[in-house]
Amino acid sequence: MTLSTIWVLAEPANGSFTTTSLELLTHARSLATNVAAITWGEGGQLGALAGEYGASTLYDVGDLAGALPGVPVAAAIEALSASGAPDALLIPTSYDGRDVAGRLSARLDRPVLTNVTGITDDDGLVTEHPVFGGSLNVKARFTGPGPGIVVVRAKSFVAEPSGGAVATVVAAPAGDTGATGSAVISTSHVEERTGPKLEEATVVVSGGRGLGEASAYAMIEEVAKLLNGAAGASRAIVDAGWVPYSHQVGQTGKTVKPLVYLACGISGATQHMVGMKGSKNIVAINKDADAPIFQIADLGIVGDVHKVLPALIDALKARS
Amino acid sequence: MNIVVCVKQIPDPAAPQSFDASNNLNRSGKLILDEADTYGVEMALQLVDKAGGGEVTVVSMGSGTDVAGLRNALAMGATKAVIVSDDALRGSDALSTAKVLAAVIARASFDLVLAATESSDGYTGTTPVQLAELLGLPSITFAKAVSIDGSTLNVSRQTEAGYDEVTAPLPALVTVTAGVVEPRYASFKGIMAAKSKPLEVLSVSDLSLDGQVGAAGARETIVAVEAAETRQAGEKYVDEGDGAQKVVAFLESIKVL
Ligand SMILES: Cc1cc2nc3c(=O)[nH]c(=O)nc-3n(C[C@H](O)[C@H](O)[C@H](O)COP(=O)(O)OP(=O)(O)OC[C@H]3O[C@@H](n4cnc5c(N)ncnc54)[C@H](O)[C@@H]3O)c2cc1C
Ligand SMILES: Nc1ncnc2c1ncn2[C@@H]1O[C@H](COP(=O)(O)O)[C@@H](O)[C@H]1O
């Protein structure tokens, strides 16, 4: 190990840290001797969880009073860095994670490497980035003084507890952020979803523009339900307003790695494939025999979703 | 209401992509307006309209000399365009890009800066937030709806669970998601009008940023480009009424059923 210290942004969510945060803590342990986590809000209560995943210190920015996290959390990290910066900062690819990374980069005048799916140590950090729809892997490294800021995609590593002792919680206030910190959340809306979460389901059934119309998405939801899976979508039908954004799989959506992914009426654009290529098995139903999705499908059905899906629903119902 | 929209000109995404000798994305050919930025242009036009008037300025930077993408934004209805076009910008990273955009935007008077959540070819998604920090502005990213009430900005911001209503005082920066508005097509009249709209071309030294941007300002380097593990295509059947059965059999074989 050539790195001594790595800090990980540990995003609080529903009484825990997000799964990607835990994945980054796990991987950070294999790269550096000292791992610290940085959190805010309810995350400040999670010293035990941070310790369990390998952090010895949990820096707590505290209550943000409704402010979007980007600015105050970056300000707190900048203040902490002034008295000893880490070799690198690992940040989950998420709405708030990207905000923190951008703000911090400009504040510290340090570069950011984004869309990272692998990190190794070869006399300094080497990052991996899939490009051109995952057909090529680019490897990059920082050349200037640290800390390098690395924004990592979900599911790049597997989260595993280390059984470490409770992390020491250290207050890390943001201080005054002036005009930049004036974006405030007034209300939060939660879209109800039933069944397993998209990122955690063992079966994901996704629909695309080939469904033809919004009402046909009900077939996707029904197949997902019959297989005890989650329903996903391509961006085309999210942009069209057929389904909420939280269903989107791909570069700007969720990364999924289920046991099986069923792509129905999805062409297989590079930006979609980046989010589902890691699935153990892929089944595609598409009426165009030349659709790119077939190039990565273990089972391809050249057919009409309006014929195959109703028949599949009947067959699955007959079994249950 | 004066709005600045950051727009990126990119190689046609439908054309095959490649790297040049120094591992930068090959941008030597014709450049088009990134579709991701057409939403920002449309949003700006609508907000200025609602406010009862004002200017929409599109701002861009890049190493190429093509301005077709900017003309497209002008044809949609933007008032004027500024581009920093300089070979010295080749190899700029996101932070350098933000520094150049900040230097240009700081010269203008504006109430709001718009950008896309991420570009189609670079997709770092960090440039706009870096820009907001350099300009000393609050920012709200991932907007799915934007409205302005006097000097207050209201944004519905996408979240993991749904969305948040977020407010900020103007001036501010917002990044818009695809689908936030329906971008208009440039009309024939708009295309003709665009030809005589102001389009200012600046160099890196006009902004006194020599040596800080482009490959000279980047503090990261590509060390390798490797072919990724490829997945093999499996079996493919044409559905003859038995497609669903094939899927069931496959699900059985992997013990999902
Ligand atoms: C910066 C950027 C980020 C992006 N991020 C994402 C992302 O995160 N996720 C994502 O999905 N996309 C993303 N995209 C968009 C992506 O490029 C594609 O436009 C999108 O994935 C296409 O969705 P689709 O496959 O549903 O639609 P289409 O490409 O239109 O494909 C529809 C398919 O349905 C088939 N079809 C039609 N009728 C039938 C029928 N009756 N039965 C069976 N098949 C039928 C057609 O043959 C076709 O293959 C991004 C794009 C950009 C530029
Ligand atoms: N070279 C550029 N010129 C103008 N705007 C840019 C440029 N690069 C990035 N942007 C803006 O920032 C957004 C995000 O870009 P990126 O950080 O590359 O994902 C883009 O969609 C644009 O709105």
Side-chain angles (χ1 to χ4, degrees):
Chain A
M1 271 187 234
T2 51
L3 301 170
S4 89
T5 308
I6 290 183
W7 292 353
V8 174
L9 188 75
E11 284 186 76
N14 310 319
S16 180
F17 293 129
T18 62
T19 309
T20 316
S21 305
L22 298 177
E23 290 162 4
L24 295 191
L25 281 169
T26 304
H27 192 62
R29 294 196 315 254
S30 69
L31 295 168
T33 355
N34 302 303
V35 176
I38 299 157
T39 194
W40 62 92
E42 56 172 354
Q45 311 295 316
L46 301 175
L49 184 63
E52 202 184 324
Y53 281 84
S56 48
T57 308
L58 177 65
Y59 293 111
D60 177 18
V61 185
D63 180 39
L64 304 184
L68 287 183
V71 173
V73 174
I77 298 175
E78 184 189 18
L80 284 174
S81 308
S83 49
D87 296 301
L89 254 143
L90 308 189
I91 296 181
T93 302
S94 66
Y95 306 104
D96 293 333
R98 290 210 314 198
D99 280 3
V100 172
R103 289 283 173 178
L104 189 64
S105 155
R107 279 174 171 263
L108 296 177
D109 193 25
R110 289 291 177 270
V112 191
L113 287 167
T114 49
N115 285 299
V116 170
T117 56
I119 309 172
T120 50
D121 177 10
D122 180 10
D123 216 3
L125 288 185
V126 175
T127 53
E128 282 176 36
H129 314 245
V131 298
F132 304 162
S135 58
L136 292 180
N137 239 336
V138 163
K139 290 190 172 172
R141 64 196 309 155
F142 295 107
T143 52
I149 304 167
V150 184
V151 185
V152 188
R153 290 187 64 97
K155 296 198 163 58
S156 298
F157 311 109
V158 177
E160 271 163 25
S162 67
V166 179
T168 314
V169 181
V170 176
D176 183 19
T177 53
T180 56
S182 59
V184 177
I185 301 168
S186 55
T187 51
S188 289
H189 299 260
V190 175
E191 280 154 2
E192 291 301 329
R193 275 193 82 121
T194 51
K197 282 177 73 181
L198 190 50
E199 311 92 296
E200 286 159 17
T202 45
V203 177
V204 173
V205 186
S206 284
R209 189 149 36 203
L211 291 171
E213 54 185 352
S215 60
Y217 193 76
M219 295 192 293
I220 300 294
E221 285 173 321
E222 180 143 27
V223 175
K225 200 167 154 210
L226 287 163
L227 293 172
N228 197 19
S234 73
R235 187 169 109 176
I237 71 167
V238 170
D239 288 358
W242 296 4
V243 290
Y245 173 78
S246 54
H247 290 57
Q248 183 173 318
V249 172
Q251 182 181 300
T252 33
K254 304 230 154 73
T255 304
V256 298
K257 291 190 177 176
L259 176 57
V260 62
Y261 186 89
L262 271 84
C264 311
I266 292 179
S267 59
T270 55
Q271 297 94 347
H272 185 79
M273 301 221 270
V274 141
M276 44 67 78
K277 261 185 85 159
S279 305
K280 199 110 183 52
N281 297 281
I282 297 172
V283 176
I285 305 168
N286 194 305
K287 71 172 186 191
D288 173 8
D290 296 324
I293 191 78
F294 287 130
Q295 290 163 16
I296 63 162
D298 302 289
L299 174 67
I301 304 293
V302 182
D304 185 342
V305 286
H306 294 283
K307 294 201 179 112
V308 181
L309 289 178
L312 182 59
I313 290 167
D314 286 347
L316 293 174
K317 274 188 179 157
R319 298 174 62 100
S320 61
Chain B
M1 172 72 42
N2 292 326
I3 303 182
V4 171
V5 189
C6 300
V7 300
K8 194 171 183 186
Q9 299 189 118
I10 63 166
D12 187 346
Q17 295 172 302
S18 62
F19 286 120
D20 66 15
S22 38
N23 282 331
N24 291 314
L25 195 61
N26 197 334
R27 296 174 206 274
S28 56
K30 191 175 165 323
L31 299 177
I32 63 167
L33 178 62
D34 187 349
E35 194 231 87
D37 285 320
T38 60
Y39 300 96
V41 173
E42 178 63 38
M43 176 62 77
L45 294 171
Q46 291 188 13
L47 289 173
V48 163
D49 217 34
K50 278 196 197 114
E55 292 193 336
V56 174
T57 307
V58 291
V59 171
S60 193
M61 73 137 252
S63 56
T65 52
D66 203 348
V67 293
L70 292 179
R71 288 277 177 222
N72 187 358
L74 292 172
M76 285 175 72
T79 321
K80 57 180 197 267
V82 186
I83 181 165
V84 189
S85 163
D86 199 318
D87 204 47
L89 293 172
R90 194 178 303 281
S92 289
D93 63 8
L95 184 55
S96 300
T97 302
K99 285 177 184 173
V100 175
L101 295 174
V104 179
I105 295 170
R107 309 185 331 158
S109 91
F110 59 87
D111 303 290
L112 181 66
V113 179
L114 294 178
T117 51
E118 57 178 29
S119 63
S120 302
D121 63 340
Y123 52 90
T124 81
T126 53
T127 310
V129 182
Q130 291 164 325
L131 173 61
E133 182 64 33
L134 295 169
L135 291 170
L137 300 175
S139 57
I140 308 178
T141 49
F142 287 92
K144 20 190 276 166
V146 183
S147 68
I148 289 168
D149 182 7
S151 60
T152 306
L153 170 70
N154 301 301
V155 171
S156 306
R157 178 184 192 246
Q158 260 166 21
T159 62
E160 220 39 75
Y163 66 98
D164 286 348
E165 294 296 348
V166 184
T167 62
L170 293 176
L173 178 143
V174 171
T175 70
V176 295
T177 55
V180 66
V181 282
E182 187 61 47
R184 70 193 67 183
Y185 286 105
S187 64
F188 179 70
K189 215 173 120 212
I191 294 169
M192 294 314 287
K195 292 188 175 155
S196 54
K197 284 185 178 174
L199 193 157
E200 189 182 3
V201 182
L202 299 172
S203 69
V204 166
S205 42
D206 289 335
L207 299 168
S208 312
L209 285 170
D210 305 76
Q212 299 176 49
V213 296
R219 288 158 296 173
E220 62 280 86
T221 183
I222 291 181
V223 289
V225 178
E226 296 165 356
E229 253 179 68
T230 50
R231 280 188 85 106
Q232 290 301 318
E235 293 174 79
K236 193 160 76 174
Y237 300 97
V238 176
D239 175 42
E240 276 157 5
D242 56 350
Q245 286 311 325
K246 297 260 196 258
V247 176
V248 169
F250 183 81
L251 295 175
E252 282 173 341
S253 75
I254 58 168
K255 303 204 162 48
V256 166
L257 287 175

